[in-house]
């Protein structure tokens, strides 16, 4: 397999390596992954995260196993096991389905490697086109609010929603970003702020509950968020807290844009209510942990509701930005 290098994932020197996003921004540690159990652990522990990147990381691991001479049955088991790791994001299923097709070919090992290379390169190109389309919605001087992390850390390219912001910053003056810290895993505070700082894009970090007062004060011009799965009717699942922003944006008449590659669109899912929402550990709410250590502030017996995602109805979306273009409501249709 050829060298494939992204901000947080690479295949180099015959090894699959991932940047540990759990340890960012204080430590930049790369892990070598050589087996399915290790990749499952990395994904479940959010050391590897972001819908496109999860799919690509799993794909590169399967391609690595194919190159190492794994038998067809072993590769099939690996694909099934990896797909089951995270249920909400459709990109993982898309990638694993592509590998299943490659597995049907006579020279299946080579076909899997070719598929992995194609999917990786395709994601880079998708992100580039998303940025080109999305920048048309941005004006110089905009104050843009975003949620969670949708940048280069979450993809093989420049990112989705954050990729639009990155593209805008290169073409337009005085772009400023409001960054939701994004409870309970702080991917905005840890990762989006980290990326914006590296890109030298001005930003301000805020608690999720502060977004409403910002909008009321007229300090938010537009909202750009990513998506982990988009249903056929335009409903979409994204990091929990996104639905809150959409409702607030509607009340304050602020444009609300969903940004994603075509691999996030699920034509087999009719509406958002059909999207399986992953429930995560209570410890992510009862305290906080990271490279800085751990702190538990709630009672050990506290009852916790911790969905990783929520679903935002299409009626609250101003437009969907795909690599194929910008689609406005009610003209949204299958891409």
């Amino acid at each position: 397999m050829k060298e494939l290098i992204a901000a947080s994932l690479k295949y180099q020197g015959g090894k699959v390596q991932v940047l540990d996003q759990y340890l960012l921004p204080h430590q930049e540690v790369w892990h070598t992954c050589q087996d399915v159990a290790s990749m499952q652990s990395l994904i479940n522990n959010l050391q590897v995260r972001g819908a496109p990147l999860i799919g690509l990381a799993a794909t590169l691991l399967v391609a690595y196993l194919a190159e190492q001479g794994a038998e067809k049955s072993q590769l099939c088991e690996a694909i099934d096991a990896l797909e089951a790791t995270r249920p909400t994001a459709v990109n993982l299923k898309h990638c694993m389905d592509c590998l299943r097709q490659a597995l049907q070919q006579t020279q299946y090992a080579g076909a899997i490697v070719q598929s992995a290379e194609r999917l990786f390169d395709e994601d880079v190109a998708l992100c580039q086109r998303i940025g080109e389309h999305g920048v048309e919605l941005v004006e110089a001087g905009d104050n843009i609010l975003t949620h969670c992390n949708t940048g280069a850390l979450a993809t093989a390219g420049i990112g989705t929603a954050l990729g639009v912001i990155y593209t805008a910053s290169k073409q337009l003056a005085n772009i400023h970003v409001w960054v939701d810290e994004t409870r309970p895993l702080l991917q905005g505070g840890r990762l989006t702020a980290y990326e914006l700082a590296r890109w030298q894009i001005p930003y301000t970090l805020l608690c999720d509950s502060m977004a409403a007062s910002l909008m009321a004060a007229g300090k938010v011009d537009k909202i750009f968020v990513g998506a982990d799965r988009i249903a056929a009717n335009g409903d979409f699942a994204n990091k929990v807290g996104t639905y809150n922003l959409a409702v607030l944006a509607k009340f304050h008449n602020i444009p609300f844009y969903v940004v994603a590659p075509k691999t996030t669109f699920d034509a087999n899912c009719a509406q958002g209510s059909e999207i399986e929402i992953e429930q995560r550990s209570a410890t992510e709410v009862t305290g906080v942990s990271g490279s800085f250590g751990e702190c538990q502030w709630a009672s050990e017996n506290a009852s916790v509701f911790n969905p990783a995602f929520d679903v935002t109805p299409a009626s609250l979306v101003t437009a969907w930005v795909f690599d194929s273009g910008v689609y406005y409501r009610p003209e949204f249709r299958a891409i």
Side-chain angles (χ1 to χ4, degrees), residues 91-159:
N91 305 68
L92 176 58
K93 176 175 171 31
H94 168 75
C95 288
M96 296 302 98
D97 283 344
C98 288
L99 296 187
R100 288 190 182 97
Q101 293 178 6
L103 199 56
Q104 301 308 310
Q105 298 189 29
T106 304
Q107 302 296 326
Y108 59 84
I112 285 176
V113 169
Q114 290 178 2
S115 294
E117 293 175 344
R118 175 181 57 80
L119 288 167
F120 190 98
D121 291 340
E122 180 183 70
D123 192 68
V124 174
L126 291 178
C127 290
Q128 188 67 35
R129 291 198 295 272
I130 287 171
E132 292 169 356
H133 291 301
V135 75
E136 298 174 6
L137 304 172
V138 183
E139 300 176 70
D142 270 349
N143 286 286
I144 301 171
L145 177 65
T146 192
H147 192 68
C148 198
N149 173 259
T150 56
L153 290 173
T155 67
I158 58 174

Side-chain angles (χ1 to χ4, degrees), residues 258-293:
V258 183
V259 188
K262 64 182 181 183
T263 51
T264 306
F265 181 79
D266 187 358
N268 295 317
C269 178
Q271 57 192 15
S273 60
E274 298 178 8
I275 300 175
E276 181 180 355
I277 299 299
E278 173 189 348
Q279 295 288 329
R280 294 190 58 83
S281 170
T283 59
E284 294 174 350
V285 177
T286 57
V288 66
S289 63
S291 60
F292 47 82

Side-chain angles (χ1 to χ4, degrees), residues 203-224:
Y203 73 91
T204 304
L205 183 63
L206 64 145
C207 296
D208 296 359
S209 56
M210 298 172 181
S213 54
L214 268 183
M215 295 184 205
K219 295 182 178 181
V220 178
D221 298 303
K222 297 175 177 81
I223 300 173
F224 285 86

